[in-house]
Amino acid sequence: DTEVTQTPKHLVMGMTNKKSLKCEQHMGHRAMYWYKQKAKKPPELMFVYSYEKLSINESVPSRFSPECPNSSLLNLHLHALQPEDSALYLCASSLILLGGTGSPLHFGNGTRLTVT
Amino acid sequence: QKEVEQDPGPLSVPEGAIVSLNCTYSNSAFQYFMWYRQYSRKGPELLMYTYSSGNKEDGRFTAQVDKSSKYISLFIRDSQPSDSATYLCAMSEDDYGQNFVFGPGTRLSVLP
């Protein structure tokens, strides 16, 4: 089991639905990330939150809307998705160490999303 | 040229073999290097994390970084069928840790 928990594990949604993906970590990490991963490809960065503030948005379409309610929680709200948005959505977290030795990403097991 | 390149595989080896997985990169500012293992339908799992050049060993795994050649390796000794997975290298420039760049991944099969 990972220390980053994602729910649900699987999600099937129609193009007109609204749904949310949830992520939780209790490692005291202050940076949280959403990645999208297509089959046989590496993860692609979507969003980064640092200290609950959005710090990076990699030109993601507005049908994906992130939210960071507190330092342990990260949500991804989905609306009017397209079939090509079907993928594994990964949440990750890391420490923020200024002037230190750096901090790797810790991933959850993802939500497998299918858009019909 | 991609920023991080990795042998695409798939790589098949017999059980007990020594496996060498490799990544090359073009950005000389990378200082932090990671190896992740990803099983099918799971998230990437951190295996090794190294800073700058040198070697790091953890059980059957050894990570090597050669910054002068812009080349990193992961060695797996006494490989097991449970090591069958996709291996991703990742790297970043700064200790703020937000700008990770991933290699495309190498798929490894260890045959019993």
Side-chain angles (χ1 to χ4, degrees):
Chain A
D1 287 343
T2 70
E3 295 178 86
V4 178
T5 304
Q6 290 188 245
T7 55
K9 288 187 169 61
H10 303 276
L11 179 62
V12 179
M13 61 185 290
M15 289 190 283
T16 58
N17 291 159
K18 285 185 183 180
K19 296 285 185 184
S20 297
L21 309 184
K22 296 187 184 302
C23 174
E24 189 169 3
Q25 59 88 14
H26 293 289
M27 295 181 283
H29 291 176
R30 300 308 296 272
M32 295 187 77
Y33 309 71
W34 281 114
Y35 279 84
K36 174 182 176 180
Q37 188 177 29
K38 295 284 237 181
K40 299 185 181 180
K41 297 288 188 184
E44 295 175 40
L45 183 65
M46 299 175 72
F47 301 104
V48 182
Y49 275 84
S50 300
Y51 295 102
E52 297 97 69
K53 291 193 184 338
L54 185 65
S55 58
I56 296 177
N57 176 343
E58 291 287 344
S59 304
V60 179
S62 60
R63 58 186 184 268
F64 296 91
S65 175
E67 179 196 19
C68 190
N70 61 53
S71 60
S72 300
L73 293 174
L74 186 67
N75 299 321
L76 186 63
H77 303 296
L78 313 173
H79 173 55
L81 294 193
Q82 304 296 310
E84 59 265 28
D85 296 321
S86 299
L88 181 68
Y89 286 84
L90 293 162
C91 174
S93 68
S94 68
L95 279 170
I96 298 177
L97 297 171
L98 298 177
T101 57
S103 170
L105 290 170
H106 295 262
F107 285 93
N109 277 326
T111 294
R112 188 158 297 278
L113 175 67
T114 303
V115 181
T116 60
Chain B
Q1 183 189 11
K2 290 184 181 176
E3 202 167 10
V4 178
E5 307 220 33
Q6 190 172 355
D7 299 335
L11 180 62
S12 289
V13 301
E15 185 175 353
I18 296 174
V19 176
S20 171
L21 302 166
N22 308 297
C23 285
T24 57
Y25 60 94
S26 55
N27 183 352
S28 57
F30 286 142
Q31 299 188 76
Y32 301 93
F33 304 93
M34 290 140 279
W35 285 97
Y36 288 88
R37 175 175 64 193
Q38 187 172 22
Y39 293 115
S40 181
R41 300 182 177 277
K42 297 287 189 182
E45 173 194 5
L46 180 67
L47 284 178
M48 300 291 277
Y49 177 56
T50 52
Y51 168 67
S52 196
S53 285
N55 292 359
K56 183 176 182 179
E57 189 173 320
D58 184 1
R60 295 185 296 112
F61 299 92
T62 300
Q64 265 185 8
V65 174
D66 181 348
K67 288 188 68 182
S68 61
S69 302
K70 300 195 188 73
Y71 189 89
I72 70 171
S73 298
L74 178 71
F75 297 96
I76 307 174
R77 288 184 298 283
D78 187 25
S79 56
Q80 302 295 308
S82 58
D83 295 327
S84 298
T86 296
Y87 289 79
L88 295 155
C89 64
M91 43 199 82
S92 66
E93 291 184 22
D94 53 43
D95 59 7
Y96 202 52
Q98 294 194 353
N99 300 309
F100 296 89
V101 180
F102 284 85
T106 298
R107 212 162 161 194
L108 171 67
S109 293
V110 181
L111 307 173

